[in-house]
Amino acid sequence: MNEAMETEFGLMAAWTADAVREIGSRHAIPAACRGSAGPAMLRWLARECRLRANTLMVDVGGGLGGPAAFAQREYGVRALVLEPMPEASREARVLLGVPGWTARGDALPLADRSADAAWCLGVLCTTPDRTALLAEIARVLKPGARLGVLVFTADVPRPRGAPEGNDFPQEAELPGLLGDQGLEMVSTIAGDLLHDRQEGEWRQLADEVEARVRQRHRGDRRLDAALEQERRIGRLLKDGVVRPVLISAERRTDQNR
Ligand SMILES: C[S@@+](CC[C@H](N)C(=O)[O-])C[C@H]1O[C@@H](n2cnc3c(N)ncnc32)[C@H](O)[C@@H]1O
């Protein structure tokens, strides 16, 4: 991971958690879903992954733990955040109350066929080795278990103005990428087709936290670097150059893929 991404996913996670502690815990889940899914997308993923009480759900590249905490609160799952940035996995535990372990997606500290469901949200475009990541997820899922993915796609890997370190897959290549690892695509939908009446409230709660972070760390060049990353992806999404896609995929039941 390059410096800009470490700042965006590590330091910003710690600063966000500090701001939530100052403002109030109502802000925690929306602020900790930074840069990824809102309630409509999370509900679609939860339905597709058949989340229910006591499902062991692993969130790979789970960041600060916002999506996992949402699944824990709304569906009663046993969530586990696996995230390479130590600041983020720590705050998933401390701030969001979700077990969070520091781990890379291509070396998950879980036994074969141990998880009932997995999420991987906004991660596939941030790592160069998507194959290794998906192979690990397939390894830890029980046969028949589902993976929910949010992936940012584009027509070319690095459109002009892309955030540093990002490399976007094309939508058409996703069924093959998943299928090669024994993950059969079940369903897919364009993320921006979904809406939930909580969406506006979430955005406001998250924006208030970001405003506090900006105020606290004004003048720090690392803040400028992280915000520039966010500005770039925001612009590409707004222009439709980068498009969010949701996918559910099922771990094939045959033993060797
Ligand atoms: C856009 S953030 C999304 C965070 C979280 N999934 C969410 O939706 O709120 C991307 C996350 O992927 C993580 N990441 C990057 N490379 C990874 C890898 N090789 N394995 C697992 N996670 C990775 C980053 O540390 C970061 O937390």
Side-chain angles (χ1 to χ4, degrees):
M1 218 183 279
N2 64 32
E3 196 188 339
M5 292 171 95
E6 284 188 4
T7 304
E8 184 185 6
F9 300 137
L11 190 61
M12 270 301 265
W15 285 350
T16 299
D18 288 341
V20 169
R21 276 187 278 273
E22 287 178 23
I23 302 180
S25 58
R26 218 161 65 83
H27 296 254
I29 290 180
C33 288
R34 292 175 49 254
S36 63
M41 291 199 212
L42 295 178
R43 290 204 164 95
W44 187 91
L45 290 162
R47 264 195 317 275
E48 285 292 321
C49 293
R50 302 181 291 218
L51 298 189
R52 57 177 67 94
N54 294 321
T55 300
L56 176 62
M57 194 276 262
V58 194
D59 194 353
V60 177
L64 251 181
F70 179 84
Q72 190 171 268
R73 185 185 74 191
E74 301 283 315
Y75 302 93
V77 303
R78 289 178 293 139
L80 174 60
V81 168
L82 299 175
E83 160 60 41
M85 300 309 294
E87 301 94 324
S89 61
R90 175 177 179 279
E91 292 295 356
R93 287 194 302 277
V94 176
L95 185 74
L96 278 302
V98 181
W101 299 351
T102 303
R104 285 171 49 108
D106 57 4
L108 299 176
L110 293 177
D112 294 0
R113 304 188 199 102
S114 52
D116 301 310
W119 279 0
C120 187
L121 312 183
V123 183
L124 290 182
C125 62
T126 65
T127 175
D129 197 352
R130 297 192 256 274
T131 302
L133 184 87
L134 292 171
E136 266 300 85
I137 294 175
R139 180 184 68 75
V140 305
L141 280 176
K142 292 178 181 168
R146 295 247 176 120
L147 165 67
V149 184
L150 164 60
V151 53
F152 293 100
T153 62
D155 295 336
V156 291
R158 285 203 49 77
R160 186 195 296 268
E164 270 182 52
N166 279 231
D167 179 341
F168 299 98
Q170 291 181 16
E171 185 171 354
E173 70 184 276
L174 296 170
L177 260 176
L178 291 158
D180 287 350
Q181 305 310 322
L183 297 161
E184 203 74 60
M185 189 158 101
V186 176
S187 194
T188 182
I189 189 168
D192 44 18
L193 283 181
L194 298 170
H195 179 72
D196 184 288
R197 63 192 166 78
Q198 270 190 314
E199 219 81 36
E201 183 195 351
W202 268 46
R203 198 165 314 119
Q204 193 185 330
L205 290 166
D207 284 352
E208 284 167 20
V209 171
E210 185 174 310
R212 180 61 64 98
V213 171
R214 285 171 187 260
Q215 188 189 45
R216 278 258 171 274
H217 302 282
R218 185 174 299 131
D220 188 324
R221 63 164 191 85
R222 296 170 301 174
L223 175 69
D224 297 336
L227 292 179
E228 175 59 19
Q229 289 282 93
E230 288 180 13
R231 249 191 310 272
R232 287 186 187 194
I233 183 78
R235 203 174 302 132
L236 293 175
L237 283 166
K238 183 165 160 285
D239 294 344
V241 175
V242 168
R243 298 170 293 274
V245 172
L246 295 178
I247 295 174
S248 62
E250 191 161 303
R251 176 71 174 99
R252 278 204 287 268
T253 47
D254 49 310
Q255 297 299 302
N256 303 313
R257 293 179 195 154

